[in-house]
Every structure is written in structure tokens, then in C-alpha cells.
């Protein structure tokens, strides 16, 4: 009896020390996409926004930025031509159902990709909450 009680106590203590693997990070405190793993909604929004930025702006060659966007990438470095800014604003309006006026009024407040993700998370009208894909509708 004492042996089984001691075993249960050891297993419980071990489980308590190991269970902190998935620490919650808000979009404001995250520095990498993996930090959002404990926040499935924001992780899905972040993946969608970053994929759409890459596919709709960077891959089309309307900006001189090369590579993949990161959470801490500045908006000014990603969209450094008038065509890329227009493509970015259109992507936000078309893909996420955000009004063009809201995008235009808030564009100057978007300093990093994290800010864009937060803006999309608050203002988007097209989300597919039941989907397991990374695409938002």
C-alpha cells in the first residue's frame, strides 16, 4: 500500500512539472508563430495572414522584399512600393471581408505583421471556425 501511494505521488509530481509545455502567449507577446500554439484561433489567423501576404504580394513580385514574412517583420519593409501597398490593402479587404475604409484608416497603425494579424483577428468577417485547414473564408 505504501509503495503504490509513493508511486502515485511521484507520478503526480512528475506530471505537474512536465505539464507546462504549451505556455499561452498573446499576439502582443509572441515573437514567433510557434508561440501562438496555445491560442488556436490566433495561430490560425496568423498562418492565414502570413500565407496570404506571401502568395498575394511577395510571390507576385510587386515588392522588392524576398523571403517569407515573420511576426516581427515590419510592414514598411514588406510593402515598399505603391503597387505592393495597394495589393496588400486589397488582399485584406477581399480575403477577410474587411471594409476598404477600415483598412485605409488603420494602415498607418500597422507597424509589424503582428499588428496586421491583430487587426485581422478583430475586424475580419470571413472566418471558417469549423475548418481544420489554415485558410480563412
Amino acid at each position: 500500500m505504501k509503495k503504490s501511494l509513493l508511486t502515485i505521488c511521484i507520478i503526480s509530481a512528475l506530471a505537474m512539472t512536465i505539464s507546462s509545455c504549451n505556455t499561452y502567449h498573446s499576439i502582443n507577446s509572441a515573437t514567433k508563430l510557434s508561440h501562438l500554439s496555445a491560442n488556436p484561433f490566433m495561430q490560425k489567423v496568423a498562418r492565414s495572414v502570413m500565407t496570404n501576404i506571401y502568395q498575394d504580394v511577395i510571390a507576385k513580385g510587386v515588392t522588392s522584399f524576398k523571403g517569407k514574412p515573420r511576426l516581427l517583420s515590419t510592414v514598411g519593409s514588406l510593402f515598399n512600393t505603391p503597387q505592393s501597398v495597394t495589393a496588400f490593402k486589397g488582399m485584406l479587404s477581399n480575403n477577410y471581408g474587411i471594409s476598404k475604409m477600415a483598412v485605409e484608416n488603420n494602415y498607418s497603425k500597422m507597424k509589424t505583421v503582428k499588428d496586421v494579424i491583430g487587426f485581422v483577428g478583430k475586424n475580419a468577417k470571413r472566418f471558417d471556425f469549423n475548418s481544420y485547414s489554415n485558410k480563412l473564408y
Side-chain angles (χ1 to χ4, degrees):
M1 181 70 175
K2 287 184 180 184
K3 236 181 185 180
S4 63
L5 184 59
L6 181 62
T7 305
I8 290 173
C9 288
I10 290 172
I11 291 173
S12 298
L14 197 62
M16 294 166 99
T17 59
I18 295 175
S19 66
S20 64
C21 296
N22 206 5
T23 305
Y24 175 80
H25 290 276
S26 71
I27 189 67
N28 296 329
S29 65
T31 58
K32 297 187 298 187
L33 187 58
S34 62
H35 287 165
L36 296 174
S37 64
N39 187 345
F41 173 74
M42 287 311 289
Q43 185 177 33
K44 187 173 183 178
V45 171
R47 283 187 179 158
S48 175
V49 168
M50 293 170 79
T51 300
N52 286 327
I53 286 173
Y54 182 77
Q55 290 177 347
D56 294 350
V57 182
I58 297 170
K60 291 184 178 178
V62 295
T63 182
S64 63
F65 181 85
K66 303 293 181 213
K68 301 264 183 176
R70 306 277 182 238
L71 284 181
L72 299 179
S73 298
T74 61
V75 172
S77 70
L78 293 173
F79 314 114
N80 49 19
T81 64
Q83 296 86 3
S84 63
V85 172
T86 303
F88 170 67
K89 290 177 181 178
M91 181 269 302
L92 289 178
S93 294
N94 297 332
N95 291 3
Y96 301 107
I98 303 171
S99 73
K100 292 182 182 199
M101 185 63 74
V103 172
E104 192 66 42
N105 291 340
N106 289 292
Y107 179 73
S108 62
K109 298 174 188 171
M110 297 179 205
K111 304 295 180 203
T112 63
V113 174
K114 283 193 328 182
D115 298 333
V116 175
I117 293 165
F119 174 75
V120 169
K122 289 177 188 172
N123 296 295
K125 308 258 184 301
R126 295 182 192 155
F127 287 111
D128 182 10
F129 292 109
N130 298 318
S131 173
Y132 288 102
S133 71
N134 289 330
K135 189 169 186 175
L136 302 176
Y137 300 98

